[in-house]
Amino acid sequence: MALVEELLLQPTSRSILFGAVLILLPIAYLRASRSNSQGKGKEPPGPKPLPILGNLLHLDLKRPYISLFSMSKQYGSIFTVYFGPKKVVVLAGYQTVKQALVNHAEEFGDRDITPIFTEYSQGYGILFSNGENWKEMRRFSLSALRDFGMGKKGSEEKIIEETCYLRDVFEQFKGKPFDTTQPVNYAVSNIISSIAYGSRFEYSDPLFKDMVTKSNENVRLIGSASIQLYNMFPWLRSWIKNRKLILKNRENCIKQINGLVDRLQQTLNPLDCRGLVDCFLVRKQNAEESGEKNTLFHKQNLLYTVANLFGAGTDTTAATLRWSLLLMAKYPHVQDRVQEEIDRVVGDRQPVMEDRKNLPYTDAVIHEIQRLANIVPMSVPHTTSCDVHFQGFFIKKGTSVLPLLTSVLRDENEWEVPNTFNPAHFLDKQGRFVKRDAFMPFSAGRRVCVGESLARMELFLFFTSFLKHFRFTPPPGVSEDQLDLTPAVGFTLSPSPHKLCAVSRNA
């Protein structure tokens, strides 16, 4: 089996594993039976689980979102599935996900911190923390991001500057095929770096390249089948190679961020903060000087908050931009229409955010790329903060909840042709841009993406800059039909490895 090969278990280890399963099987079965019998109401339906294994045999661990979306067709918009012995409630479809995350935001607003994320973040930072730590770090991060231009002219200028550096890289390939992964990742990483540290990095900087590479590798590894198994059966930790690599990468990234923070500390001026890190250091210093006990503004929270912003702020936006180039190459008639609109409205100057209202088709294309790309198909797991009665079902406090975002972005009740790339989803009959309630790529409610407005600005400015200056085509000998839209395996969905040609339109 591929999963066993991925675990790389030796014969002796297999015997130990098999013995452990035999011992734990009856214990888990009795526990599950006792738990079900003590319920306070009707629980959501779902496929019958096996002891220990749960519904493991029903799941494609490399692409579980597909399995879960299929199950929703049979069991409805709210159902129970067992990831090994762990009970998980899945929310499917726009109406149900919105009702849970927005209308019942408090009840469904906590983070379910799986074993790999428990080890990875240790309760620090924003993404994988709860309670006061999460509230304080999120509040601080939102405030600091806004202070340094998120959604404002300040970050617009940073992004426009970065589009020029990235354009130079694309030009160097002179229209020949190249992999867009690294240059796009570097450009997007530099936006959050400039906000966090107050300055950007050169694409050739070895430290920067290593940080970006390891961060992106971890996002890919966290979505691997072996890590899904580890989250189900934490006692497998010693045999999971990917777990060891993830934690090694994490350790290296934290050391690198620590070095950058220490350098900023040496030249810190409380009256002139250069970025988010400086703001945090000032808050930390003030807390120490006032003798504040149990302050959350300590070094570990700083390191993991920056790591969260760096990782989340790079991977999702960069993946969306790479999908945008691939889709333009695959659908040249859409690319033609985008470029005609940009040429007519923008002319010879640099596109700016103010142009968006006059570029309805381009805006619709960007939104449709996000919808079809489906970057975070299962969101990040939530957990119930209390016992919940929801849509006629009882969900116990502490139950893991998966808002299946792929079922929102592909909801047949909300989208005319949900499985087709169709910018008309965001246009009215007069060709004007229209918002759609079921457009939820950043999730919703209390845990909505902290950098949503920054990401929206990046997507618009990078995409319009790309299309203004380049024509994207498949490599010679490859037709549009041969471009593969199957996503790579990972926690987020990036395009599978491919090359494109960026042909200058100014030649």
Side-chain angles (χ1 to χ4, degrees):
M1 289 175 62
L3 293 181
V4 175
E5 290 174 5
E6 190 171 358
L7 287 173
L8 297 178
L9 298 177
Q10 298 300 319
T12 302
S13 300
R14 289 196 196 100
S15 299
I16 295 171
L17 176 60
F18 183 68
V21 169
L22 288 179
I23 293 170
L24 292 172
L25 195 70
I27 298 172
Y29 185 76
L30 288 172
R31 270 183 162 179
S33 300
R34 188 180 302 120
S35 174
N36 290 337
S37 66
Q38 293 175 351
K40 297 180 181 179
K42 182 182 177 184
E43 294 187 347
K48 188 174 182 179
L50 294 171
I52 289 292
L53 297 179
N55 299 118
L56 185 58
L57 302 182
H58 294 86
L59 299 170
D60 175 357
L61 291 188
K62 291 186 176 180
R63 305 184 193 279
Y65 59 95
I66 295 178
S67 304
L68 296 174
F69 196 15
S70 177
M71 286 182 196
S72 72
K73 308 292 185 183
Q74 179 178 356
Y75 296 104
S77 62
I78 174 170
F79 63 95
T80 302
V81 64
Y82 283 80
F83 282 65
K86 181 177 182 176
K87 178 194 292 185
V88 176
V89 170
V90 180
L91 307 176
Y94 165 65
Q95 293 295 339
T96 295
V97 171
K98 179 194 173 187
Q99 186 181 359
L101 299 189
V102 178
N103 300 345
H104 296 268
E106 289 294 324
E107 297 96 315
F108 288 95
D110 279 355
R111 175 70 69 225
D112 178 35
I113 307 174
T114 57
I116 191 61
F117 290 136
T118 298
E119 287 195 279
Y120 189 89
S121 286
Q122 301 173 17
Y124 301 122
I126 310 171
L127 273 178
F128 309 109
S129 64
N130 282 312
E132 285 304 311
N133 195 91
W134 169 73
K135 290 179 182 178
E136 193 65 61
M137 290 304 103
R138 183 178 175 88
R139 189 182 302 118
F140 164 78
S141 298
L142 273 171
S143 174
L145 287 170
R146 287 169 182 154
D147 287 346
F148 290 98
M150 183 175 75
K152 301 177 185 176
K153 198 71 177 175
S155 51
E156 181 176 5
E157 292 170 356
K158 288 184 174 72
I159 297 165
I160 289 173
E161 177 188 9
E162 202 62 43
T163 65
C164 297
Y165 289 111
L166 184 58
R167 191 165 75 235
D168 289 343
V169 174
F170 282 13
E171 292 278 10
Q172 292 170 14
F173 291 98
K174 301 184 183 303
K176 295 180 181 179
F178 70 102
D179 187 337
T180 60
T181 306
Q182 285 191 336
V184 171
N185 283 344
Y186 294 160
V188 175
S189 294
N190 255 338
I191 304 304
I192 196 64
S193 293
S194 63
I195 290 173
Y197 304 118
S199 61
R200 67 181 296 277
F201 294 89
E202 295 296 329
Y203 295 168
S204 58
D205 186 319
L207 172 66
F208 179 62
K209 291 170 68 173
D210 191 53
M211 288 173 65
V212 174
T213 298
K214 284 183 167 53
S215 178
N216 290 331
E217 182 179 41
N218 269 1
V219 172
R220 178 180 61 81
L221 293 174
I222 285 169
S224 66
S226 62
I227 294 300
Q228 305 308 311
L229 280 176
Y230 168 55
N231 285 333
M232 297 179 197
F233 309 107
W235 41 273
L236 291 175
R237 64 172 55 85
S238 299
W239 295 303
I240 307 291
K241 285 181 63 179
N242 281 350
R243 168 188 165 269
K244 296 175 183 176
L245 184 53
I246 288 169
L247 296 179
K248 182 180 179 182
N249 285 345
R250 184 280 315 267
E251 183 179 354
N252 287 337
C253 283
I254 292 299
K255 283 183 179 178
Q256 290 163 334
I257 294 171
N258 190 50
L260 293 167
V261 168
D262 285 347
R263 285 205 287 274
L264 290 172
Q265 176 79 70
Q266 292 169 9
T267 54
L268 180 66
N269 178 358
L271 301 179
D272 183 22
C273 289
R274 295 157 291 191
L276 178 145
V277 169
D278 279 8
C279 290
F280 195 105
L281 290 172
V282 170
R283 290 286 294 271
K284 176 176 176 289
Q285 183 175 300
N286 290 341
E288 290 169 350
E289 290 174 354
S290 65
E292 183 180 341
K293 294 182 179 179
N294 302 319
T295 177
L296 294 171
F297 287 89
H298 51 72
K299 190 68 168 291
Q300 290 296 91
N301 256 338
L302 171 56
L303 298 178
Y304 282 93
T305 296
V306 172
N308 288 167
L309 293 172
F310 186 81
T314 295
D315 186 83
T316 52
T317 303
T320 306
L321 286 172
R322 290 177 56 227
W323 277 115
S324 76
L325 304 184
L326 181 59
L327 287 164
M328 291 303 94
K330 189 169 182 68
Y331 300 107
H333 64 285
V334 175
Q335 185 172 190
D336 287 340
R337 191 168 166 186
V338 169
Q339 290 177 326
E340 183 279 325
E341 187 178 65
I342 291 174
D343 291 345
R344 174 167 43 84
V345 173
V346 177
D348 294 331
R349 62 176 173 78
Q350 167 69 41
V352 295
M353 288 305 299
E354 187 66 20
D355 293 319
R356 183 162 60 180
K357 64 179 182 291
N358 297 318
L359 296 170
Y361 185 76
T362 302
D363 203 9
V365 168
I366 294 170
H367 280 70
E368 181 67 355
I369 289 165
Q370 288 182 268
R371 187 194 71 80
L372 197 71
N374 186 29
I375 297 293
V376 192
M378 298 194 300
S379 186
V380 185
H382 290 233
T383 189
T384 46
S385 60
C386 59
D387 289 351
V388 184
H389 290 276
F390 182 72
Q391 292 191 358
F393 297 109
F394 172 74
I395 306 173
K396 190 177 180 180
K397 177 182 178 180
T399 300
S400 178
V401 176
L402 282 180
L404 197 61
L405 293 187
T406 190
S407 71
V408 177
L409 299 174
R410 305 286 175 93
D411 192 328
E412 294 176 354
N413 296 317
E414 300 292 333
W415 308 100
E416 290 76 13
V417 280
N419 299 311
T420 302
F421 181 62
N422 179 28
H425 281 137
F426 294 93
L427 295 168
D428 64 14
K429 292 180 180 179
Q430 286 73 44
R432 295 172 299 200
F433 178 81
V434 291
K435 294 181 179 181
R436 298 291 293 264
D437 291 340
F439 180 70
M440 205 180 282
F442 299 100
S443 192
R446 296 176 74 214
R447 295 281 178 166
V448 67
C449 173
V450 70
E452 178 179 351
S453 63
L454 178 64
R456 287 179 181 274
M457 183 179 281
E458 289 179 83
L459 292 174
F460 179 80
L461 292 173
F462 274 114
F463 182 75
T464 52
S465 179
F466 289 154
L467 273 291
K468 175 177 170 53
H469 294 282
F470 300 99
R471 177 81 184 173
F472 293 93
T473 66
V478 178
S479 69
E480 289 90 358
D481 292 340
Q482 290 174 304
L483 290 176
D484 186 11
L485 298 184
T486 304
V489 174
F491 184 69
T492 59
L493 301 186
S494 296
S496 295
H498 66 278
K499 291 185 178 182
L500 295 176
C501 299
V503 181
S504 176
R505 300 180 69 215
N506 303 321

